[in-house]
Amino acid sequence: MKKISKTSLGGFINYGIVVLAFAALQGLTSMGMLSNSLQSLLVPACCYVVMAVSLNLTVGILGELSLGHAGFMSLGAFSGIVVSILLQEIIPLAPLRLAVSMAAGALAGALGGAVVGVPVLRLQGDYLAIVTLAFGQIIKNIIMVLYVGVDGKGLHVAVKADSFLLAEDGVTIIKGPMGAVGVTRLATFTAGFLLILVTLLVVQNLVNSRAGRAIMALRDNRIAAESVGINVTRYKLMAFVISAALAGAAGALFGLNYSSTVASKFDFNTSILVLVFVVLGGLGSIRDSIIAASLLYVLPELLRSFDVAEYRMLIYAVILILVMLGANNPAAQDFINARFRKKRKTKEGTVK
């Protein structure tokens, strides 16, 4: 039998971590050992794990800084909500309707990524970051003035309340600044778990493919990659659109986890929060993005459980600073590596 490569082994470990975490949390939930507040964070945590992994594809694998990832999430969220309400009578089965809505959210995110990526990916560095930041703000402001409803005549869309008229049997889906209201909650922790697995499948196979090697070549040295015939626009757009599509699917799951969703939820702060998960986990490291997003998202709620609820955000900020100092301190890393090697040698000597 051929030996499993190091890359394949790392991918299987990522799947194993996700499966074990899902099984453990399901077990704790069935035994009543998780509070209601922690249970309510399971689906959003899955969404943010997908957001972190997808953003790492752009920031860590492609090497381009994007500050508008929440914009793709918002496109997916409101598209998924609209599709789920339109399909209530056509697809009465909730899991199937959720899957279709998430697919619609992924398509909306991919279209948004293509629209932004074609002109924007010609830019680099700070210029690209500023434009993606502007895109996220534009999407948020557009949704805040958008009115969407459905009646017997079909779907109605308007940007002013005065021009938004529905029949008596009509249902309003998006009410401008009030966002989407009256949404049937379809999201489940199982759906979030499956979305993480799909995200890992897509991202890891892309990274380990010929296209992924071309994308990383562009990250390392664009001029050298272009000189050997790598199509810069094609591969950059590929990574950007896939990243946006996964963010859109996460947004659809996120939006269908609440009875109401407002556009202000997907603002600049959300993009920065996801970027913090990626940076703390490590650029280009999928496994660390999963761990960082999971732990850091639930950390404020865990601190609330102790007697330091009033200072939980202060403690959270201090922990972030300490983690960053430790991750970027060569002396600390050398100390940890030395301790690890010492323990490993001790165990090997004991076995012998």
Side-chain angles (χ1 to χ4, degrees):
M1 295 180 63
K2 295 183 178 179
K3 292 183 179 180
I4 300 177
S5 65
K6 185 177 180 180
T7 302
S8 300
L9 180 60
F12 289 132
I13 291 175
N14 293 340
Y15 291 123
I17 291 174
V18 174
V19 171
L20 289 176
F22 174 75
L25 290 171
Q26 286 286 69
L28 291 174
T29 302
S30 62
M31 291 185 293
M33 299 181 65
L34 285 183
S35 63
N36 292 332
S37 59
L38 286 177
Q39 291 183 36
S40 66
L41 295 179
L42 294 179
V43 173
C46 292
C47 297
Y48 279 106
V49 167
V50 174
M51 289 288 289
V53 174
S54 61
L55 182 61
N56 210 345
L57 178 59
T58 300
V59 179
I61 308 301
L62 179 60
E64 298 291 353
L65 180 59
S66 174
L67 297 180
H69 211 53
F72 304 121
M73 188 180 186
S74 65
L75 283 176
F78 288 97
S79 299
I81 290 172
V82 171
V83 170
S84 68
I85 294 178
L86 292 177
L87 298 178
Q88 278 183 346
E89 297 181 358
I90 301 175
I91 306 178
L93 191 61
L96 180 58
R97 192 162 76 249
L98 174 61
V100 174
S101 301
M102 290 169 61
L107 179 60
L111 291 175
V115 170
V116 176
V118 170
V120 167
L121 289 177
R122 300 178 184 274
L123 304 174
Q124 294 181 3
D126 299 339
Y127 301 102
L128 176 63
I130 292 172
V131 174
T132 54
L133 169 62
F135 164 75
Q137 295 299 107
I138 290 171
I139 291 299
K140 185 193 74 171
N141 291 330
I142 290 176
I143 295 176
M144 288 185 68
V145 299
L146 198 64
Y147 293 83
V148 179
V150 62
D151 57 16
K153 297 181 180 180
L155 189 67
H156 297 265
V157 181
V159 294
K160 292 184 179 179
D162 298 338
S163 59
F164 182 64
L165 301 175
L166 295 176
E168 293 183 358
D169 62 338
V171 176
T172 302
I173 303 175
I174 302 177
K175 292 184 177 181
M178 295 178 62
V181 295
V183 180
T184 302
R185 299 178 60 182
L186 302 176
T188 61
F189 182 40
T190 302
F193 161 70
L194 294 176
L195 180 59
I196 293 176
L197 291 183
V198 171
T199 301
L200 290 177
L201 181 66
V202 172
V203 174
Q204 291 183 161
N205 280 283
L206 175 64
V207 171
N208 298 327
S209 67
R210 181 179 180 181
R213 290 190 290 271
I215 291 170
M216 288 185 284
L218 292 173
R219 175 197 63 189
D220 296 335
N221 194 318
R222 174 176 176 171
I223 297 176
E226 197 171 6
S227 67
V228 296
I230 295 178
N231 191 324
V232 176
T233 304
R234 175 188 174 186
Y235 288 109
K236 291 181 75 172
L237 187 62
M238 179 189 298
F240 199 72
V241 169
I242 292 175
S243 175
L246 294 173
L253 181 66
F254 186 89
L256 292 171
N257 188 53
Y258 302 99
S259 58
S260 62
T261 303
V262 293
S264 59
K265 175 62 180 176
F266 309 98
D267 58 2
F268 172 68
N269 293 325
T270 303
S271 296
I272 293 299
L273 178 64
V274 179
L275 183 62
V276 167
F277 296 156
V278 174
V279 174
L280 284 180
L283 297 178
S285 176
I286 297 174
R287 184 183 310 156
D288 292 339
S289 294
I290 296 172
I291 297 173
S294 303
L295 295 180
L296 293 178
Y297 181 74
V298 301
L299 182 59
E301 185 61 34
L302 291 176
L303 292 175
R304 189 193 294 270
S305 304
F306 299 97
D307 295 332
V308 293
E310 297 180 357
Y311 307 100
R312 67 184 188 282
M313 296 312 296
L314 175 61
I315 297 173
Y316 180 76
V318 172
I319 291 175
L320 291 182
I321 294 173
L322 293 177
V323 171
M324 285 301 298
L325 290 176
N328 293 278
N329 189 346
Q333 294 177 359
D334 293 341
F335 175 77
I336 294 173
N337 292 333
R339 295 285 295 180
F340 177 77
R341 286 194 296 267
K342 184 177 180 180
K343 289 183 179 180
R344 186 175 180 181
K345 290 180 179 179
T346 303
K347 291 181 178 180
E348 291 177 351
T350 303
V351 172
K352 292 178 181 178

